[in-house]
């Protein structure tokens, strides 16, 4: 469900539970995005239980909760995301896409290797044979500001069974993460530092939601 929807609350049915020190809940559908190498998991509640972690385990999404009190298989319960936390993850994840697009306008041959869109340690790693300079970072940040001012609409869809995301007229990128609805939700994206390891370029960044 999280794949196409930015809903923050939804009813769901419990289809499985594993009792443990940290109980695990399986649902017939979910709005909780699991943790990935590039994005932190959602936080929130299943009924009155607090969701501590969300993981994609063996083809299904496991919700690790603080207590199984009041939860039982077959029950209809309400899922509630921590909205501020979700917005922050979506902002950082979306900023990563925009930095990649802006970088390709500066160095057309660069390619993204991976992104870690964690709010406290966000960085995008690219292969970039052309050594970019401080002047390029200024150009990059100006382009990012331009993307924000254009208030690009974020389009999510399926192409040949693969989920993609597209920011305005920028290129479509295969992605399963969560995103802002428009780039105007972001106040600012700042690439604050860059470092090279051979031809591997790492760009450290911060972003802020418009409040
Ligand atoms: Zn994405």
């Amino acid at each position: 469900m999280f794949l196409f929807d930015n809903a923050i609350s939804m009813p769901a049915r419990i289809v499985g539970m594993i009792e443990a020190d940290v109980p695990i809940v399986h649902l017939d559908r979910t709005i909780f995005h699991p943790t990935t190498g590039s994005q932190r998991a959602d936080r929130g509640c299943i009924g009155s239980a607090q969701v501590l972690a969300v993981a994609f385990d063996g083809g299904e999404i496991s919700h690790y909760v603080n207590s199984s009190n009041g939860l039982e298989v077959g029950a209809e319960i309400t899922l509630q995301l921590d909205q501020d936390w979700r917005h922050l993850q979506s902002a950082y994840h979306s900023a990563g896409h925009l930095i990649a697009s802006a970088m390709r306008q500066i160095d057309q041959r660069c390619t993204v290797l991976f992104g870690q869109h964690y709010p406290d340690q966000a960085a995008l790693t690219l292969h970039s044979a052309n050594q970019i300079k401080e002047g390029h970072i200024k150009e990059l940040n100006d382009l990012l500001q331009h993307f924000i001012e254009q208030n690009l609409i974020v389009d999510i869809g399926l192409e040949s069974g693969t989920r993609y995301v597209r920011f305005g007229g920028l290129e479509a990128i295969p992605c399963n993460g969560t995103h802002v609805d428009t780039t105007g939700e972001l106040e600012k994206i700042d690439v604050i530092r860059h470092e090279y390891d051979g031809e591997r370029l790492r760009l450290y960044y911060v972003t802020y939601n418009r409040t």
Side-chain angles (χ1 to χ4, degrees):
M1 181 59 77
F2 63 83
L3 291 177
F4 292 98
D5 203 331
N6 274 342
I8 57 151
S9 180
M10 186 179 75
R13 183 182 301 277
I14 298 175
V15 295
M17 288 194 58
I18 299 172
E19 285 293 347
D21 289 346
V22 180
I24 299 172
V25 179
H26 293 130
L27 302 165
D28 65 342
R29 56 184 190 157
T30 188
I31 48 177
F32 285 89
H33 191 276
T35 192
T36 66
S38 66
Q39 187 174 335
R40 290 226 164 93
D42 278 320
R43 296 174 178 172
C45 292
I46 295 175
S48 59
Q50 196 181 340
V51 175
L52 305 175
V54 189
F56 195 61
D57 295 331
E60 61 185 340
I61 293 180
S62 295
H63 307 76
Y64 294 77
V65 293
N66 68 330
S67 165
S68 59
N69 286 345
L71 303 180
E72 58 184 30
V73 172
E76 284 272 357
I77 33 78
T78 299
L79 315 181
Q80 181 70 47
L81 290 185
D82 178 332
Q83 188 170 5
D84 289 345
W85 175 258
R86 160 61 79 85
H87 282 165
L88 187 64
Q89 310 316 306
S90 297
Y92 267 86
H93 180 99
S94 301
H97 282 295
L98 293 170
I99 293 168
S101 292
M103 262 306 292
R104 274 191 291 275
Q105 293 191 18
I106 290 169
D107 175 4
Q108 289 171 3
R109 290 193 302 163
C110 76
T111 53
V112 174
L113 299 175
F114 52 88
Q116 178 178 284
H117 312 298
Y118 296 172
D120 50 345
Q121 49 191 54
L124 189 71
T125 303
L126 307 101
H127 179 263
S128 166
N130 302 321
Q131 296 279 321
I132 65 162
K133 308 278 189 315
E134 274 308 322
H136 291 122
I137 298 296
K138 161 100 175 61
E139 193 182 338
L140 183 61
N141 283 328
D142 287 348
L143 264 172
L144 291 166
Q145 193 57 35
H146 181 61
F147 288 156
I148 289 172
E149 284 165 7
Q150 285 181 301
N151 199 21
L152 303 173
I153 292 171
V154 180
D155 178 41
I156 307 283
L158 274 180
E159 271 178 16
S160 306
T162 300
R163 183 186 190 250
Y164 72 86
V165 59
R166 181 187 282 120
F167 289 72
L170 300 174
E171 70 278 31
I173 305 286
C175 185
N176 286 324
T178 68
H179 307 89
V180 295
D181 291 322
T182 68
T183 57
E185 290 178 29
L186 303 174
E187 173 89 39
K188 188 177 177 60
I189 305 169
D190 231 347
V191 174
I192 49 176
R193 189 160 65 85
H194 76 283
E195 65 186 25
Y196 269 99
D197 177 7
E199 294 186 346
R200 185 173 279 218
L201 168 65
R202 183 162 294 171
L203 299 171
Y204 296 89
Y205 70 95
V206 292
T207 188
Y208 308 95
N209 275 320
R210 208 173 286 277
T211 51

